[in-house]
Amino acid sequence: MEKLLECCVDSVESAVIAAQNGADRLELCANLMIGGTSPSPALFREIRARISTPIRVLLRPRFGDFLYTEAEFAVIRREVRLFRELGADGVVIGCLTSEGDLDMQRMEILIEEAGFLPVTLHRAFDVCAEPLRALEEAKALGIDTILTSGQQSSCAAGKELLAELSKKAGDIRIMAGAGVNAAVIADFLKTTPIRAFHLSGKEVLQSGMAYRKEGVPMGLPGLDEFQIWRANPESIRKARLALDQS
């Protein structure tokens, strides 16, 4: 398969930076700092108006696991239909059963809603009970891409499983994610069959707020309200260069 660099972004600014510095494709989400949740239609439209880079949209109604209530699943289903109609280039989804298997019934429904759109199975794969069985189920579903760290905290730690998955993937693209940078890409290209990589390339910027009211958290305790995550141009350029040179 051809080499691919996908950048995960949760803002217009990051999307433009990624597109201008070598990303082949974007995964659009909101709330990247908690692993990503579904973005708003307005965010998608604003990015689509500014860049032509293909956009796959992450659809995840909340932080946490991938065992969804009926209401949560209904939201995901509506979002698949909505972003297909808005012109997304693909959707990024994943539902599990309580036993840690792919929820085939729900996945089939979502893929039917996606219609002609290609589908990425997101890192729900990394917390499933049997990855090789999940791979075969993904094949049966017609999944286009599996984004995975090899069921480890980073793709470097999961390299052995990633290589095995890639060899057995058939028509599915195995895309390495979690901890991806230029050095990781160069190493993987030399030592594994993996040719697709997913990164945020983020840097942490300080807020422009001069007045700062401390001690009033708006979200999870410990998160700094005056830090902004944004794609770093140099990180993405270096990743692009590593991908092209190896």
Side-chain angles (χ1 to χ4, degrees), residues 75-98:
V75 169
I76 301 170
R77 185 174 182 177
R78 286 179 180 274
E79 288 180 328
V80 170
R81 190 181 313 132
L82 171 63
F83 281 101
R84 184 195 70 210
E85 292 170 353
L86 286 175
D89 298 289
V91 292
V92 183
I93 56 175
C95 303
L96 299 182
T97 68
S98 60

Side-chain angles (χ1 to χ4, degrees), residues 165-236:
L165 291 168
S166 188
K167 290 173 183 176
K168 296 179 177 179
D171 292 334
I172 292 179
R173 184 193 297 274
I174 302 298
M175 182 164 57
V180 171
N181 56 33
V184 167
I185 292 172
D187 174 66
F188 267 60
L189 290 175
K190 292 176 183 176
T191 59
T192 77
I194 301 290
R195 295 295 179 268
F197 300 90
H198 171 99
L199 81 165
S200 63
K202 67 179 180 296
E203 62 179 332
V204 179
L205 305 176
Q206 286 299 309
S207 164
M209 286 293 296
Y211 172 75
R212 299 189 176 197
K213 180 70 173 178
E214 303 289 353
V216 187
M218 298 294 169
L220 294 174
L223 291 181
D224 189 335
E225 305 293 345
F226 301 105
Q227 288 185 344
I228 299 168
W229 287 18
R230 188 161 294 161
N232 176 268
E234 185 64 16
S235 296
I236 296 171

Side-chain angles (χ1 to χ4, degrees), residues 1-218:
M1 292 187 177
E2 294 183 358
K3 296 175 182 178
L4 176 74
L5 184 67
E6 179 179 270
C7 289
C8 185
V9 300
D10 65 355
S11 68
V12 174
E13 292 82 2
S14 288
V16 172
I17 289 168
Q20 290 177 343
N21 288 278
D24 296 305
R25 188 169 81 198
L26 305 181
E27 182 197 85
L28 178 62
C29 67
N31 302 309
L32 184 56
M33 67 177 58
I34 55 171
T37 56
S38 302
S40 71
L43 178 60
F44 174 85
R45 287 190 178 102
E46 188 64 28
I47 292 172
R48 181 78 296 160
R50 293 169 182 256
I51 62 171
S52 59
T53 305
I55 301 172
R56 294 199 183 187
V57 180
L58 172 70
L59 301 177
R60 184 181 179 215
R62 57 163 170 79
F63 167 81
D65 65 32
F66 306 100
L67 178 64
Y68 295 118
T69 66
E70 288 294 332
E72 289 170 338
F73 177 70
V75 169
I76 301 170
R77 185 174 182 177
R78 286 179 180 274
E79 288 180 328
V80 170
R81 190 181 313 132
L82 171 63
F83 281 101
R84 184 195 70 210
E85 292 170 353
L86 286 175
D89 298 289
V91 292
V92 183
I93 56 175
C95 303
L96 299 182
T97 68
S98 60
E99 291 77 25
D101 298 315
L102 279 184
D103 189 327
M104 294 295 282
Q105 181 178 5
R106 284 181 163 182
M107 290 296 291
E108 286 172 357
I109 291 169
L110 296 179
I111 288 169
E112 183 177 358
E113 291 285 4
F116 60 87
L117 292 181
V119 173
T120 297
L121 171 60
H122 59 44
R123 293 188 63 207
F125 181 89
D126 283 327
V127 291
C128 70
E130 298 289 344
L132 296 181
R133 182 170 69 205
L135 173 62
E136 294 307 311
E137 291 172 340
K139 289 180 184 179
L141 289 167
I143 294 290
D144 171 84
T145 301
I146 297 176
L147 169 61
T148 171
S149 64
Q151 296 207 317
Q152 299 293 328
S153 60
S154 71
C155 64
K159 184 163 71 168
E160 183 177 347
L161 178 57
L162 281 162
E164 182 179 5
L165 291 168
S166 188
K167 290 173 183 176
K168 296 179 177 179
D171 292 334
I172 292 179
R173 184 193 297 274
I174 302 298
M175 182 164 57
V180 171
N181 56 33
V184 167
I185 292 172
D187 174 66
F188 267 60
L189 290 175
K190 292 176 183 176
T191 59
T192 77
I194 301 290
R195 295 295 179 268
F197 300 90
H198 171 99
L199 81 165
S200 63
K202 67 179 180 296
E203 62 179 332
V204 179
L205 305 176
Q206 286 299 309
S207 164
M209 286 293 296
Y211 172 75
R212 299 189 176 197
K213 180 70 173 178
E214 303 289 353
V216 187
M218 298 294 169

